[in-house]
Amino acid sequence: MVVPTVGRPGLARLLTTLVGQEGPAPVQVVVVDDRPTDPGTRDGASLSGRRADPAQDPCERACAQAREAGLDVLLVRSGGRGAAAARNAGWRRARTEWIVFVDDDVELPAGWARALAADLADCPADVGGVQGRLVVPLPQGRRPTDWERGTAGLETAAWITADMAYRREALVDVGGFDERFPRAFREDSDLALRVQDAGWRLVRGEHTSVRPVRPADDLASARQQRGNADDVLMGALHGPRWRQRAEAAVGRLPWHAVTVAAGAGTLAAAATGRRRVAAVAAAGWLGLTADFAWRRIAPGPRSGDEVRRMLLTSALIPPLAVWHRLRGELAWRGPGRPASWPPPVRAVLFDRDGTLVHDVPCNGDPDLVRPVDGAAEALARVRAAGLATAIVSNQPGVGRGLLTTAQVDAVNARVEELLGPFDAVVYCPDGPDAPSPYRKPEPGMVLEAARRLGVTPAECLLIGDIGADVEAALAAGARAVLVPTPLTRPEEVEATAAVVGSLPEAVDLALAVAPPARQSGGRR
């Protein structure tokens, strides 16, 4: 089970409702904390920081309570990159046949696990996903508000990952969720269409979960208009019939465009002194806005707060919807269609000790640097293919007082002298006891290296020699290859999808998923 979260109280409730389930428990629950990483301290190549006190952290507390109740819970951090990235960071850590995605604001009634197991057991081999049935309880004794009615629409939505199981094989086939969808919106529809395009069937199961309506402020519906940009990406990826295939409603965007045009016409006519035209356009804007507001007010409780909220947001939504639509058009309707997901590798990140050079514990002496066999030739091939290169390295000796940053910098300089220059060098000096967001297996260093290289994390591949390297890459959204050494634990090898015997072999895998080499042979 994969649960993306941003630390909301619902996480603890979800895990509590999972503990007492009848039927098989999940092999593991991967909770993915997608809150942004603290910016930390940057001093040249050094990158340091501290997470919040675990005892005060809501995700840590909820996971600890679930472990005490008998669940196998793994907490992963994905660095605040959105729901799609968080789900990818979770399912890529799993090796089970089925991955069940559940949102942190869902509650699991008794019998959910038993019904889920029955649904999955009944699936033929060509079924790649099973959607659960979602129930949204609405208030009794009054009509629901606009926000509550919108949430209730989840009951009939197709392939939403509030409660959705996918075969791991299907996720691997399509590369998981497309992380270009930054919000919890349309990323699930996009995945469903790509899974079906890959030849898998999706079905609806009988297991049922509950999605309470969570509180929302006055402008929540206005902020939702950002999804209009994601609709453009859906159209660019899947063509004009994507709504029919995804069973998605058309919405009111055409009417919003007319409303915005009437408002703009009012301002333009008034500015040029054409009062009659301005009056006609203003009447049109007022009528369209009033009609939109009434359509939202009439089915609701019509309380003073609800009417005020609907009047405010009905005036705001049309221009916001049109603005975000235009923003999406500019982002996704340029020359050519957006590239397929996942993107090709444009940068290779290397762990230092044990991967590029032989491991000398807490080495501060440049004279002790010895590259592993084939390192120089492997790096030359990467650079000749036009790929960026970076070092990402834990240096806990600094935090433990055994090294200085000057010594680490001197060793890094020697590595570059022997193996050629790297486009970025990032290391974390925090010791193993520090709750650092950058020390591998946390994703912070990988995210920072991608930022410095000017690529997305999904365009990076990290080569390392221990499980922490792989875990950091997957949490950041990068690909990973493990090159074991005698220090690599067997369970780390078993848990890693891509394992090879040498650094040159790892580079072979990186070049296989990279764009064709540029004729110039260099990175631009």
mmCIF file of all heavy atoms in Angstrom, residues 45-63:
data_model
loop_
_atom_site.group_PDB
_atom_site.id
_atom_site.type_symbol
_atom_site.label_atom_id
_atom_site.label_comp_id
_atom_site.label_asym_id
_atom_site.label_seq_id
_atom_site.Cartn_x
_atom_site.Cartn_y
_atom_site.Cartn_z
ATOM 1 N N ALA A 45 30.089 23.027 -2.480
ATOM 2 C CA ALA A 45 29.565 21.689 -2.751
ATOM 3 C C ALA A 45 28.836 21.102 -1.554
ATOM 4 O O ALA A 45 28.089 20.137 -1.687
ATOM 5 C CB ALA A 45 30.708 20.758 -3.163
ATOM 6 N N SER A 46 29.036 21.678 -0.363
ATOM 7 C CA SER A 46 28.456 21.133 0.856
ATOM 8 C C SER A 46 26.998 21.538 0.995
ATOM 9 O O SER A 46 26.627 22.691 0.763
ATOM 10 C CB SER A 46 29.252 21.629 2.070
ATOM 11 O OG SER A 46 28.673 21.176 3.274
ATOM 12 N N LEU A 47 26.168 20.582 1.402
ATOM 13 C CA LEU A 47 24.732 20.817 1.554
ATOM 14 C C LEU A 47 24.282 20.158 2.847
ATOM 15 O O LEU A 47 24.364 18.933 2.997
ATOM 16 C CB LEU A 47 23.976 20.233 0.360
ATOM 17 C CG LEU A 47 22.467 20.444 0.304
ATOM 18 C CD1 LEU A 47 22.134 21.920 0.166
ATOM 19 C CD2 LEU A 47 21.878 19.681 -0.865
ATOM 20 N N SER A 48 23.816 20.986 3.792
ATOM 21 C CA SER A 48 23.475 20.471 5.108
ATOM 22 C C SER A 48 22.106 20.985 5.534
ATOM 23 O O SER A 48 21.661 22.046 5.086
ATOM 24 C CB SER A 48 24.530 20.906 6.139
ATOM 25 O OG SER A 48 24.217 20.424 7.426
ATOM 26 N N GLY A 49 21.438 20.243 6.399
ATOM 27 C CA GLY A 49 20.136 20.687 6.897
ATOM 28 C C GLY A 49 19.628 19.744 7.963
ATOM 29 O O GLY A 49 20.212 18.684 8.215
ATOM 30 N N ARG A 50 18.514 20.129 8.579
ATOM 31 C CA ARG A 50 17.917 19.279 9.609
ATOM 32 C C ARG A 50 16.416 19.230 9.401
ATOM 33 O O ARG A 50 15.782 20.239 9.108
ATOM 34 C CB ARG A 50 18.224 19.809 11.014
ATOM 35 C CG ARG A 50 19.685 19.699 11.415
ATOM 36 C CD ARG A 50 19.871 20.079 12.869
ATOM 37 N NE ARG A 50 19.262 19.116 13.770
ATOM 38 C CZ ARG A 50 19.882 18.010 14.195
ATOM 39 N NH1 ARG A 50 21.086 17.730 13.785
ATOM 40 N NH2 ARG A 50 19.291 17.197 15.040
ATOM 41 N N ARG A 51 15.869 18.021 9.560
ATOM 42 C CA ARG A 51 14.421 17.864 9.554
ATOM 43 C C ARG A 51 13.870 18.250 10.919
ATOM 44 O O ARG A 51 14.602 18.389 11.892
ATOM 45 C CB ARG A 51 14.031 16.420 9.236
ATOM 46 C CG ARG A 51 14.408 15.946 7.849
ATOM 47 C CD ARG A 51 13.619 14.685 7.503
ATOM 48 N NE ARG A 51 13.675 13.693 8.558
ATOM 49 C CZ ARG A 51 14.590 12.738 8.645
ATOM 50 N NH1 ARG A 51 15.539 12.665 7.741
ATOM 51 N NH2 ARG A 51 14.570 11.872 9.639
ATOM 52 N N ALA A 52 12.552 18.373 10.965
ATOM 53 C CA ALA A 52 11.896 18.656 12.237
ATOM 54 C C ALA A 52 12.101 17.491 13.213
ATOM 55 O O ALA A 52 12.364 16.353 12.803
ATOM 56 C CB ALA A 52 10.404 18.895 12.013
ATOM 57 N N ASP A 53 11.989 17.782 14.472
ATOM 58 C CA ASP A 53 12.098 16.768 15.507
ATOM 59 C C ASP A 53 11.071 15.661 15.235
ATOM 60 O O ASP A 53 9.871 15.932 15.158
ATOM 61 C CB ASP A 53 11.832 17.411 16.867
ATOM 62 C CG ASP A 53 11.957 16.409 18.008
ATOM 63 O OD1 ASP A 53 12.190 15.217 17.752
ATOM 64 O OD2 ASP A 53 11.801 16.844 19.166
ATOM 65 N N PRO A 54 11.512 14.403 15.072
ATOM 66 C CA PRO A 54 10.566 13.324 14.784
ATOM 67 C C PRO A 54 9.431 13.233 15.792
ATOM 68 O O PRO A 54 8.307 12.882 15.437
ATOM 69 C CB PRO A 54 11.448 12.066 14.804
ATOM 70 C CG PRO A 54 12.819 12.562 14.459
ATOM 71 C CD PRO A 54 12.910 13.938 15.064
ATOM 72 N N ALA A 55 9.713 13.556 17.042
ATOM 73 C CA ALA A 55 8.665 13.458 18.062
ATOM 74 C C ALA A 55 7.550 14.472 17.829
ATOM 75 O O ALA A 55 6.427 14.289 18.308
ATOM 76 C CB ALA A 55 9.264 13.653 19.449
ATOM 77 N N GLN A 56 7.853 15.553 17.101
ATOM 78 C CA GLN A 56 6.861 16.588 16.840
ATOM 79 C C GLN A 56 6.274 16.489 15.437
ATOM 80 O O GLN A 56 5.426 17.296 15.071
ATOM 81 C CB GLN A 56 7.503 17.974 17.010
ATOM 82 C CG GLN A 56 8.155 18.206 18.366
ATOM 83 C CD GLN A 56 7.160 18.071 19.503
ATOM 84 O OE1 GLN A 56 6.022 18.523 19.397
ATOM 85 N NE2 GLN A 56 7.579 17.438 20.607
ATOM 86 N N ASP A 57 6.718 15.514 14.668
ATOM 87 C CA ASP A 57 6.299 15.427 13.276
ATOM 88 C C ASP A 57 5.061 14.543 13.145
ATOM 89 O O ASP A 57 5.068 13.383 13.603
ATOM 90 C CB ASP A 57 7.437 14.840 12.434
ATOM 91 C CG ASP A 57 7.105 14.827 10.961
ATOM 92 O OD1 ASP A 57 6.505 13.840 10.503
ATOM 93 O OD2 ASP A 57 7.417 15.822 10.282
ATOM 94 N N PRO A 58 3.968 15.029 12.531
ATOM 95 C CA PRO A 58 2.731 14.225 12.467
ATOM 96 C C PRO A 58 2.896 12.945 11.660
ATOM 97 O O PRO A 58 2.280 11.924 11.987
ATOM 98 C CB PRO A 58 1.721 15.175 11.819
ATOM 99 C CG PRO A 58 2.542 16.205 11.112
ATOM 100 C CD PRO A 58 3.788 16.360 11.920
ATOM 101 N N CYS A 59 3.700 12.967 10.597
ATOM 102 C CA CYS A 59 3.916 11.742 9.810
ATOM 103 C C CYS A 59 4.689 10.703 10.622
ATOM 104 O O CYS A 59 4.336 9.513 10.624
ATOM 105 C CB CYS A 59 4.661 12.068 8.519
ATOM 106 S SG CYS A 59 3.734 13.074 7.352
ATOM 107 N N GLU A 60 5.746 11.150 11.291
ATOM 108 C CA GLU A 60 6.528 10.231 12.113
ATOM 109 C C GLU A 60 5.657 9.608 13.206
ATOM 110 O O GLU A 60 5.726 8.395 13.463
ATOM 111 C CB GLU A 60 7.708 10.976 12.745
ATOM 112 C CG GLU A 60 8.753 11.478 11.762
ATOM 113 C CD GLU A 60 9.825 10.446 11.476
ATOM 114 O OE1 GLU A 60 9.640 9.276 11.883
ATOM 115 O OE2 GLU A 60 10.834 10.815 10.854
ATOM 116 N N ARG A 61 4.840 10.435 13.861
ATOM 117 C CA ARG A 61 4.004 9.929 14.953
ATOM 118 C C ARG A 61 2.985 8.918 14.443
ATOM 119 O O ARG A 61 2.786 7.857 15.050
ATOM 120 C CB ARG A 61 3.294 11.087 15.658
ATOM 121 C CG ARG A 61 4.216 11.982 16.475
ATOM 122 C CD ARG A 61 3.416 12.761 17.514
ATOM 123 N NE ARG A 61 2.307 13.482 16.904
ATOM 124 C CZ ARG A 61 2.382 14.721 16.436
ATOM 125 N NH1 ARG A 61 3.540 15.377 16.514
ATOM 126 N NH2 ARG A 61 1.342 15.327 15.911
ATOM 127 N N ALA A 62 2.323 9.238 13.323
ATOM 128 C CA ALA A 62 1.308 8.328 12.792
ATOM 129 C C ALA A 62 1.920 6.992 12.391
ATOM 130 O O ALA A 62 1.348 5.926 12.659
ATOM 131 C CB ALA A 62 0.606 8.979 11.593
ATOM 132 N N CYS A 63 3.102 7.039 11.774
ATOM 133 C CA CYS A 63 3.760 5.806 11.356
ATOM 134 C C CYS A 63 4.221 4.995 12.565
ATOM 135 O O CYS A 63 4.100 3.758 12.587
ATOM 136 C CB CYS A 63 4.937 6.120 10.443
ATOM 137 S SG CYS A 63 4.463 6.790 8.832
#
